[in-house]
Amino acid sequence: MKLLTLNCHSWLEENQLDKMRILAETIKEKSYDVIALQEVNQSLSEDVLYDGIRKDNFALLLIQALQKMGVLDYQMHWDFSHIGYDRFEEGLALLTKHPVQSKTSFFVSNSNDTNYWKTRKIVKATIRYNNQWIDCYSCHLGWWKDEEEPVDHQIDQLNAHIDNSRLSFLLGDFNNHADIEGEGYSYLLQKGWYDTYQLAEEKDQGSTIKGKIDGWEKNADGLRIDLILANRPLATKSSSVIFNGNNKPIISDHYGVEIKCTI
């Protein structure tokens, strides 16, 4: 099974359509089973087409770009978490080419106010793969030391939705550096999650952001904050950072993570 996660920083990038094309070409090449995207934005000023999806929804246009390339088997699930930059509905998406049993979304933050930029929502889809149902979650969580919206509370709320009778994946931007002990990453592992990066037979250095970006204004280093976690210790062949300038061009202020695992 091949999975990808990417915080795509959509409509905030220069040459955004060129970068979308690179993402679409990569999806066509790699044929991922599940793709989790964060910061999947759409403009407040655009018309709604259906189910809250507006004309310039980044995931919708990505699907359309794939279709123009002859890739017709992906479907998407999107919902928005909060208003961003006073002009976007910022959301999360899951794309898959497998049958979807159900899809939903839910808040994990203290706040459910979509006008508040720290409000956090999770998007979930249950898919059929190799004759079993698998739960996939696209996640964009907060920060460990945030007094208003602490990430440990968000992780607890997320875990309350997990059905451990099924295989589950958490994919996304967790905003907690994996090399810092005793904070959000450690808390996730304490709650029973396995980091596929740590399980992988083949892996790279793992950093998914470098230097200053929104939310990490004081950062000068490479940090591993974008993760793919599983609730079981899966046989993971590889974990690779992608869209980092070495493995495909940079297309966002985050790099992506792709894995191959056996289910």
Side-chain angles (χ1 to χ4, degrees):
M1 190 177 196
K2 293 187 283 189
L3 300 93
L4 169 71
T5 186
L6 174 69
N7 180 325
C8 46
H9 200 228
S10 59
W11 305 130
L12 295 165
E13 288 287 313
E14 295 181 0
N15 304 314
Q16 182 68 85
L17 294 179
D18 289 337
K19 292 177 178 179
M20 179 189 290
R21 176 183 51 78
I22 292 168
L23 176 57
E25 289 172 347
T26 303
I27 293 170
K28 179 179 181 179
E29 173 193 343
K30 303 273 188 172
S31 191
Y32 298 107
D33 297 286
V34 176
I35 301 157
L37 303 175
Q38 303 83 45
E39 294 193 25
V40 183
N41 296 331
Q42 59 181 20
S43 299
L44 286 165
S45 59
E46 287 286 353
D47 293 336
V48 173
L49 298 177
Y50 64 93
D51 296 336
I53 305 292
R54 298 181 187 270
K55 283 185 177 180
D56 69 342
N57 182 285
F58 183 85
L60 174 65
L61 295 185
L62 177 62
I63 291 281
Q64 291 174 352
L66 285 165
Q67 291 171 344
K68 289 178 181 177
M69 296 176 182
V71 180
L72 306 176
D73 47 358
Y74 283 98
Q75 56 184 305
M76 75 177 212
H77 171 37
W78 177 91
D79 198 358
F80 95 98
S81 177
H82 57 260
I83 303 299
Y85 301 93
D86 298 321
R87 57 194 177 103
F88 295 120
E89 290 177 334
E90 179 183 312
L92 308 96
L94 286 163
L95 279 62
T96 184
K97 56 184 180 177
H98 297 288
V100 176
Q101 179 197 46
S102 63
K103 54 187 180 180
T104 190
S105 57
F106 52 89
F107 291 102
V108 293
S109 50
N110 289 313
S111 172
N112 292 356
D113 181 3
T114 55
N115 290 302
Y116 182 40
W117 70 275
K118 290 184 180 180
T119 296
R120 300 297 183 197
K121 184 179 276 187
I122 304 295
V123 165
K124 173 192 175 185
T126 301
I127 69 166
R128 188 75 170 170
Y129 180 86
N130 276 5
N131 296 316
Q132 64 175 299
W133 295 112
I134 299 174
D135 293 335
C136 301
Y137 301 79
S138 184
C139 308
H140 189 187
L141 299 186
W143 296 266
W144 180 252
K145 295 179 180 179
D146 192 308
E147 294 182 359
E148 297 170 308
E149 289 291 349
V151 77
D152 54 343
H153 170 78
Q154 296 175 13
I155 293 168
D156 288 344
Q157 294 300 305
L158 173 53
N159 275 346
H161 287 81
I162 303 301
D163 179 358
N164 280 312
S165 69
R166 289 200 291 256
L167 174 61
S168 296
F169 287 103
L170 305 183
L171 307 95
D173 172 5
F174 290 85
N175 271 317
N176 282 263
H177 183 24
D179 288 350
I180 299 178
E181 293 289 335
E183 294 193 358
Y185 177 77
S186 297
Y187 194 75
L188 281 160
L189 300 190
Q190 290 168 12
K191 293 295 180 179
W193 293 99
Y194 295 87
D195 186 355
T196 56
Y197 176 83
Q198 301 292 355
L199 296 172
E201 298 172 17
E202 304 170 12
K203 69 186 79 171
D204 50 21
Q205 47 77 35
S207 296
T208 60
I209 65 169
K210 186 176 182 180
K212 301 176 184 179
I213 66 168
D214 288 346
W216 294 89
E217 286 81 6
K218 296 181 180 179
N219 180 54
D221 303 315
L223 306 181
R224 190 165 72 86
I225 67 173
D226 299 86
L227 311 169
I228 299 178
L229 308 175
N231 63 343
R232 298 175 189 171
L234 296 175
T236 305
K237 177 176 176 55
S238 63
S239 175
S240 305
V241 176
I242 190 169
F243 307 120
N244 62 351
N246 295 316
N247 181 12
K248 303 294 183 181
I250 294 171
I251 60 173
S252 173
D253 61 349
H254 286 243
Y255 308 147
V257 177
E258 59 177 1
I259 70 164
K260 295 179 183 179
C261 60
T262 301
I263 297 175

